[in-house]
Amino acid sequence: MVKGYIFDYGGTLDTAGCHWGKVLWHAYQAHRIPITESQFREAYVHAERMLGANPIIKPDFTFHKTLDTKLRIEMEYLMTSNYWNVQESKFVKLHNDILNTVYKRVQDVTLQSRNVIKVLNLRYPMVLVSNFYGNIGMVLKEFGLDPFFHRIIESAVVGIRKPDPRIFSLGVKALNLKPEEVVVVGDSFYKDIIPAQKAGCHAIWFKGEGWTDEQYDETIPDRVITDIAQLLN
């Protein structure tokens, strides 16, 4: 019997199962940045590595400021790699346009997520387990999600990153439950579903647009959903 939930954040509660790389790539396309997807992926990976290796994101950064920073690193990389050449004034405009487009989408998605989380929280204690930059607490407050989580287990704070199953074990411990009494909900098959099951938990895969076209065995998760509201059914 399920007695508690562990939720992933990025890609699960903020983009409806869509990988963040795809969210940003679609925004670049919508604003007609003249680069290839391969060039974008290179910039995306560069930014993720830079943010992961350096304390650029501060604990008090909102998600808006985090996204602003991430986009600037990506777009500057595209410029310095000679993949994209544009005057500074247009660079600033396109940066702000993409920032506003993506942030609005995140606001809309997290509002829907909040409505579902609020209902679930009436019956179940919940913990958040996320690979993030050390500011997830601020981000949850920004979107009104903070009241619903009993505890936050953040990779930058605990020193363990998904797909290490131990980070989910910390979530189970925070719930004061047995692993088999806990359901993990996440968008990443590799970082959420497999390690959650290795930790002894049940796992629900929030299936959206992935970073690659790799196909996964959908019989492995306990359940597959394509809309967070399906958790209420």
Side-chain angles (χ1 to χ4, degrees), residues 95 109 140 165 224:
H95 169 274
V109 172
L140 294 178
V224 179

Side-chain angles (χ1 to χ4, degrees), residues 76-141:
E76 287 176 351
Y77 179 87
L78 292 169
M79 293 283 285
T80 57
S81 299
N82 292 319
Y83 293 150
W84 181 42
N85 293 295
V86 67
Q87 293 182 344
E88 183 177 355
S89 59
K90 190 166 185 180
F91 177 99
V92 172
K93 181 182 185 305
L94 286 169
H95 169 274
N96 290 336
D97 288 347
I98 292 176
L99 174 62
N100 292 334
T101 295
V102 176
Y103 189 73
K104 178 60 167 63
R105 173 178 173 172
V106 170
Q107 284 181 308
D108 292 342
V109 172
T110 50
L111 178 60
Q112 181 187 13
S113 296
R114 185 184 186 281
N115 291 337
V116 172
I117 292 291
K118 183 178 181 179
V119 174
L120 282 176
N121 191 229
L122 295 175
R123 295 180 58 194
Y124 304 102
M126 294 185 290
V127 164
L128 190 86
V129 172
S130 179
N131 284 353
F132 219 73
Y133 309 112
N135 64 321
I136 191 67
M138 178 63 72
V139 172
L140 294 178
K141 289 180 182 178

Side-chain angles (χ1 to χ4, degrees), residues 3 52 56 61-62 73 86 100 122 125 133-134 136 147 150 160 165 196 225:
K3 295 184 179 180
I56 296 170
F61 274 28
T62 61
I73 293 171
V86 67
N100 292 334
L122 295 175
Y133 309 112
I136 191 67
H150 174 70
I160 304 173
I225 61 171

